[in-house]
Every structure is written in C-alpha cells, then in structure tokens.
Amino acid sequence: MPTYILGIESSCDDTSASVLCDGKVLSNLVANQEIHKSYGGVVPELASRAHQQNIIPVVNQAISKANIDKNQLNAIAYTRGPGLLGSLLVGSSFSKSLSIGLDIPLIEVNHMQAHLLAHFIDDCGPTKPTFPFIGVTISGGHTQIVIVKDYFDIELIGETLDDAIGETFDKCGNMMGLSYPAGAIIDKNSKLGDPLKYKFTKPKVGGLNYSFSGLKTGFLRFIEKETKLNQDFVQLEINNLCASLQYTIIEILYEKVILSLKQTNISNVVFGGGVSCNSGIITKFKENESLEKYLSYFPKLEYTTDNAAMIAMVGYLKFNNKDFSSIEKGAKARYQY
Ligand code: KG4
Ligand code: ZN
C-alpha cells in the first residue's frame, strides 16, 4: 500500500502544501506573499493574515494536483517551529483540524531539520548524502552548523550570535536600495563585479559560531562615507559592492564550515535553506572539495527556499517510525533539535 503524506509549511511568509507518495513528490505548491516587498522585510501580522487567506486554496490545489482524494492521505506533517508564531499558528491549527476531520495521524516537523532532510526527497538525484554529515542551514532567519549522525540524531555545534546570513544579504541590499529579498539580486550583480575591489571587516568570533552584525554596520558606514563624497556612488559601483560583499560573506561562512569538518573528522557537508542556492557559495565549496577532502551537497533549487515537500519528507520518515504527535503540542517560535 502506498503512503500518502500531506505536508504543510507556514513558518515565515510562504504558505506551502505538498503531497508525497512514498517519498516521491506528487505536488509542491508555494504561495509567496508579495505584500512584504514594500516594507523591506517580513511583517509578522501581515504574514499571518496572508497565511489564513492562502492555506485552504493551497492545500486544495496540492491535493488535486497530486490527483488523489483527501481520504487517501495517511498522515499530515506540519511545521511546528521555529518561525514566526502567528504564521506557525495558522499552519498548525489547520493541520490539527484536518487530521481530526480525516481521522489520520498528525506529525510535527522541525523546519531546520526539514531543510537538511530535503536531500532525501526522491527526485533529488541518485547520490544521497551518507551519515554522518555536517549540516549547514543558511536562510533569512538562521545560520547553523550541526552534526547529523542519523535522520533524527542532530546536534547543534555552531550558530550565529546575531544576524542570519540571509538577513545580512537582505539588509545590506536594502542599504544599496535593492528590493527585498535582496539575496538573489546581490548574487546576480556579483557576477558582473570585482569581489576584491572593496574590503570589509570579518568578525572575530571563537569556535564555530558566526556573527554578521559587524559586517552589516561596517558596510553601512562605508556606503554613508562614500555617498557623502559622491551621491551616485552606490549606483555607479553597485556590481563591485555586491561582489565584494558576497565575497566577504562567503569567506566568513567557508572558514567555519571547514573548521567544523576538521574538528569532527567528517567528510560530507550538506547545505539547506534559501541562501544555499547562492552561486558563489556553491562554486566556492565545489572548487575546494579535493583540496580540503570533503564532498558537498546542495539541494535542488525548489527545495532551497521554504517549501512543504521537505516537511512532507520528514513526515514520511517519521510515519515509518510511527512517530506521531498529539494535538496538545503547540507551535514553537524557538525550536531546537
Ligand atoms: O529559507 P528561506 O526561503 O526563508 C527563511 O527561512 O528565511 O530563505 C530566504 C533567504 C532570504 O534572505 C533571501 O535573500 C535568501 O534566502 N536568498 C539568497 C539567494 N536566494 C535567496 N541569498 C543569497 N543568494 C541567493 N541566490
Ligand atoms: Zn526556511
């Protein structure tokens, strides 16, 4: 008998629903919320209201695109956290109600774990990462390094002490007048610029932790100083600014990931999260594989940003372990492994 899992993701500003059959994606729909663009970042209350509008149509479309009837579903997997509480509440309440209505099990999923386990979705190619691996989750809200010994044996060994890496791309992009979210625009502009033209300070944080707030402030001060001398500075130098900023962010990321591989004696590194589609990051880690003796894995583009297929994938793995959740468990804005 095939196992059909419905995944529901609503941790930030994307409402997503997906149906998986035995780990194979039948549908994966994402409703983006354009409304945040004009505010330069996600506005939690608006995100929560948009989830309420989107969730029923998105779930209906995911089920009909999968060409199944809702009564064929075996379980519902939903994002319990981490994320924005108001957003999480929409997905979790909806999932709980639907599981009661259909009388099928409910499965809670940790969003960060799902970003990494997305690599095990059937259509992500034949070469799956082998355990143990170093997991690196880089997104708008998180920057973490973990040891993944098995699907559900994950240990946090490093994280940002302030801003997340995607937040750094977005906020520095905002300083240059780029629209939100700026990560992909900076990536694109970087290809036309000189990464060594401007030097920005790198943080001095011990161990495997990160800090990006100093870089962000230094970038702002530099732009303010140069704009006083020439008000068209940013416009004239946009590609070099983007390339130099991206170069610095990648250097900071790379250094700690290599340190984590050396400290743990692990030779596989698996990336997840919206920033993991950055072309500079992929090139840097791929280029240095034989020099530093590791293998790096990057997700398919559609599974880098927030999506419900990754939630349904973790749901499928948990379903096989009969690891079900009770409806009493509440959404968690902060949710560690
Ligand atoms: O995982 P995600 O969709 O949502 C969060 O959980 O945060 O990640 C969104 C982040 C944004 O900060 C966006 O600017 C960044 O991913 N991003 C990129 C690129 N594409 C998206 N950052 C750098 N380079 C990219 N190509
Ligand atoms: Zn995410």
Side-chain angles (χ1 to χ4, degrees):
M1 279 278 279
T3 303
Y4 293 100
I5 308 285
L6 171 67
I8 294 180
E9 154 64 29
S10 71
S11 66
C12 190
D13 60 336
D14 294 321
T15 321
S16 181
S18 166
V19 177
L20 255 67
C21 177
D22 294 337
K24 208 170 173 313
V25 179
L26 301 183
S27 63
N28 182 34
L29 278 103
V30 184
N32 305 114
Q33 302 180 0
E34 291 298 313
I35 190 154
H36 306 287
K37 268 197 188 336
S38 54
Y39 294 91
V42 177
V43 183
E45 177 57 28
L46 295 180
S48 164
R49 281 189 227 168
H51 282 305
Q52 291 178 43
Q53 283 174 350
N54 292 339
I55 196 142
I56 292 175
V58 168
V59 168
N60 273 338
Q61 281 174 45
I63 293 172
S64 74
K65 189 156 181 241
N67 212 10
I68 62 162
D69 185 87
K70 61 181 183 309
N71 292 309
Q72 287 175 268
L73 291 170
N74 296 89
I76 298 170
Y78 75 99
T79 304
R80 186 176 176 208
L84 301 171
L85 193 60
S87 293
L88 290 166
L89 280 170
V90 178
S92 60
S93 319
F94 182 87
S95 303
K96 287 174 187 179
S97 314
L98 193 58
S99 86
I100 295 169
L102 296 174
D103 195 22
I104 53 174
L106 182 69
I107 299 170
E108 60 157 289
V109 175
N110 179 313
H111 179 90
M112 303 314 291
Q113 186 172 26
H115 268 305
L116 293 173
L117 298 185
H119 287 263
F120 295 95
I121 294 173
D122 201 59
D123 65 349
C124 287
T127 341
K128 305 286 182 216
T130 50
F131 299 110
F133 59 75
I134 290 293
V136 182
T137 42
I138 42 178
S139 69
H142 296 90
T143 307
Q144 293 186 331
I145 303 180
V146 296
I147 304 177
V148 185
K149 293 177 202 139
D150 205 343
Y151 295 118
F152 299 107
D153 186 355
I154 302 180
E155 185 192 341
L156 180 70
I157 54 170
E159 65 183 332
T160 183
L161 302 176
D162 41 58
D163 293 334
I165 188 166
E167 196 179 350
T168 311
F169 270 105
D170 296 337
K171 287 185 175 162
C172 292
N174 184 268
M175 294 169 201
M176 293 186 280
L178 303 176
S179 67
Y180 172 87
I185 309 168
I186 292 176
D187 191 3
K188 193 164 156 244
N189 292 347
S190 292
K191 292 181 184 142
L192 306 169
D194 175 2
L196 302 177
K197 174 116 192 224
Y198 301 111
K199 279 218 162 341
F200 302 111
T201 42
K202 290 204 246 159
K204 294 179 184 64
V205 183
L208 296 173
N209 288 330
Y210 287 104
S211 167
F212 288 100
S213 68
L215 169 63
K216 197 185 63 185
T217 314
F219 190 75
L220 177 64
R221 296 282 170 268
F222 176 73
I223 284 187
E224 282 174 347
K225 189 180 92 199
E226 293 297 326
T227 309
K228 268 191 196 147
L229 302 172
N230 176 0
Q231 61 174 14
D232 296 328
F233 173 72
V234 171
Q235 210 185 337
L236 292 169
E237 282 299 292
I238 188 74
N239 293 334
N240 293 328
L241 282 169
C242 287
S244 301
L245 172 71
Q246 179 164 302
Y247 176 84
T248 313
I249 293 176
I250 296 172
E251 288 291 298
I252 297 169
L253 177 73
Y254 181 77
E255 220 169 86
K256 299 283 171 132
V257 173
I258 297 299
L259 183 63
S260 74
L261 290 167
K262 294 205 163 129
Q263 280 186 357
T264 56
N265 224 2
I266 289 175
S267 55
N268 291 317
V269 56
V270 172
F271 289 82
V275 182
S276 60
C277 68
N278 180 275
S279 63
I281 294 176
I282 298 172
T283 306
K284 175 84 179 177
F285 279 93
K286 287 287 172 201
E287 266 175 6
N288 287 290
E289 280 187 338
S290 49
L291 178 75
E292 297 287 357
K293 299 185 183 57
Y294 64 81
L295 283 177
S296 59
Y297 296 83
F298 288 88
K300 266 178 94 171
L301 184 64
E302 63 258 47
Y303 306 134
T304 56
T305 49
D306 291 345
N307 66 89
M310 68 182 193
I311 305 300
M313 183 64 220
V314 179
Y316 176 58
L317 294 167
K318 285 194 167 185
F319 184 86
N320 290 339
N321 289 346
K322 295 198 167 33
D323 183 359
F324 304 135
S325 175
S326 91
I327 60 158
E328 276 85 45
K329 285 193 175 175
K332 284 179 91 169
R334 290 180 173 273
Y335 189 15
Q336 287 297 359
Y337 292 107

